[in-house]
Amino acid sequence: MSILIIGAGGVTSHMMQQLLKMCDPNGKDNIVVVDGDELEARNLDRQLFSERSIGSNKAIALRNLYPQIKAIP
């Protein structure tokens, strides 16, 4: 199964852990997240990222949390 997600902000950052639980445990599923935005401090109140990710691309920051996904900035 291949999944393409556009946007790595609020909804995606909250659902990713559950989505990964539904995927093939052998890593056969392919999840790609595309986002061109950078994480800002004001995003942290509604998005599941840490302060150390501020200034990073959101897709890359999400991949840092979940290395099994692919990120396209």
Side-chain angles (χ1 to χ4, degrees):
M1 167 172 61
S2 292
I3 301 169
L4 174 63
I5 301 172
I6 308 298
V11 173
T12 302
S13 65
H14 284 275
M15 75 169 191
M16 188 56 65
Q17 185 175 15
Q18 295 303 316
L19 180 61
L20 288 169
K21 286 181 181 180
M22 295 187 311
C23 290
D24 186 330
N26 297 319
K28 293 182 181 178
D29 292 325
N30 184 28
I31 300 174
V32 179
V33 179
V34 179
D35 197 315
D37 292 339
E38 287 187 2
L39 186 64
E40 300 176 28
R42 64 187 177 106
N43 300 134
L44 296 180
D45 64 339
R46 62 190 180 283
Q47 298 176 9
L48 293 179
F49 295 104
S50 67
E51 288 184 5
R52 69 175 181 236
S53 295
I54 293 173
S56 299
N57 172 272
K58 289 180 183 179
I60 299 296
L62 196 61
R63 188 196 59 211
N64 290 340
L65 293 172
Y66 304 103
Q68 59 270 54
I69 70 171
K70 294 179 181 154
I72 300 175

